[in-house]
Amino acid sequence: AQSVAQPEDQVNVAEGNPLTVKCTYSVSGNPYLFWYVQYPNRGLQFLLKYITGDNLVKGSYGFEAEFNKSQTSFHLKKPSALVSDSALYFCAVRVTGTASKLTFGTGTRLQVTL
Amino acid sequence: EAEVAQSPRYKITEKSQAVAFWCDPISGHATLYWYRQILGQGPELLVQFQDESVVDDSQLPKDRFSAERLKGVDSTLKIQPAELGDSAMYLCASSLGALGTDTQYFGPGTRLTVL
């Protein structure tokens, strides 16, 4: 069975500082990894995904994520946080094949303060 | 930019009543998903359609939930009768296909409150 762990319920960072939101995964086979962001009472917005190739993936709004196969991690990063980045972030994993479900972590709340 | 549409955005109902949610996927997307998101948790898949066919409904409580996508475009999710534990956000998503690499795009969701 596949699973995703987001070890931090909340991450606090000052505006202008770099941010990292952690994600580790467990799958049988090659993973496809996704990051989504959710604002209050809204659906999930796609940020970026890793399929294959370069381990550093760049996405929307200045976010990037690094795939690390040996550590089974896919941490989300941004060099300089904005107050408007404050939201709930979800990591998700899927494997190859149409029968595979997209499995989400429990989410990490990012709070960016002035 | 094309988006997934859902309605209503909010629904308050009493237990034992019937409720229905509607979803219109991004044009050209063959695969449609319904998820349930309980507060403080990640979304969980209820049902997946490929065109008009159900390909996965293993997590759908079939005694009270039903879903259809009759013409392979828009979809309806119904709950009858609603129970207190059904209070959650119901999210619809769509993707071009059902491959693991296909990105799922989500609608704004329907927040259901059962009293």
Side-chain angles (χ1 to χ4, degrees):
Chain A
Q2 59 195 49
S3 64
V4 173
Q6 294 184 241
E8 302 156 316
D9 289 337
Q10 180 157 328
V11 170
N12 298 306
V13 65
E15 187 175 55
N17 284 358
L19 70 87
T20 299
V21 182
K22 296 179 180 178
C23 170
T24 59
Y25 65 90
S26 174
V27 298
S28 298
N30 293 322
Y32 303 131
L33 294 151
F34 301 78
W35 275 102
Y36 287 86
V37 60
Q38 186 175 34
Y39 295 96
N41 289 314
R42 299 297 303 275
L44 277 67
Q45 295 179 31
F46 170 70
L47 283 178
L48 52 80
K49 67 180 178 183
Y50 171 81
I51 302 302
T52 188
D54 194 346
N55 289 342
L56 184 63
V57 179
K58 295 188 182 297
S60 305
Y61 313 119
F63 285 94
E64 59 189 28
E66 186 167 12
F67 172 66
N68 187 316
K69 188 172 183 177
S70 63
Q71 296 186 5
T72 62
S73 67
F74 189 56
H75 300 332
L76 182 69
K77 300 181 180 183
K78 187 175 182 182
S80 178
L82 298 172
V83 172
S84 57
D85 292 330
S86 299
L88 191 56
Y89 290 81
F90 289 96
C91 181
V93 68
R94 203 173 181 184
V95 294
T96 189
T98 58
S100 170
K101 298 178 185 178
L102 188 61
T103 300
F104 287 86
T106 52
T108 298
R109 185 164 302 282
L110 175 66
Q111 187 69 45
V112 182
T113 54
L114 290 171
Chain B
E1 181 177 309
E3 296 181 342
V4 176
Q6 287 188 250
S7 67
R9 291 293 311 280
Y10 302 92
K11 180 70 177 179
I12 300 174
T13 190
E14 295 185 345
K15 63 179 182 178
S16 79
Q17 295 298 304
V19 293
F21 313 132
W22 177 79
C23 172
D24 192 14
I26 294 172
S27 178
H29 280 196
T31 312
L32 184 147
Y33 312 81
W34 283 101
Y35 287 86
R36 178 169 59 186
Q37 184 182 21
I38 296 170
L39 193 63
Q41 299 182 20
E44 294 185 331
L45 182 69
L46 291 175
V47 61
Q48 176 181 339
F49 289 91
Q50 183 66 29
D51 299 309
E52 66 275 10
S53 300
V54 173
V55 297
D56 186 349
D57 63 357
S58 58
Q59 300 303 310
L60 189 70
K62 298 181 191 61
D63 57 335
R64 297 185 300 107
F65 285 64
S66 64
E68 61 183 17
R69 193 184 184 197
L70 293 176
K71 296 183 179 180
V73 181
D74 59 340
S75 175
T76 302
L77 178 70
K78 298 179 181 178
I79 308 175
Q80 183 175 16
E83 295 181 353
L84 295 177
D86 295 332
S87 294
M89 175 78 90
Y90 290 83
L91 296 165
C92 179
S94 70
S95 60
L96 275 172
L99 296 176
T101 54
D102 287 322
T103 300
Q104 296 183 24
Y105 295 93
F106 286 78
T110 296
R111 169 74 65 187
L112 174 66
T113 302
V114 182
L115 303 176

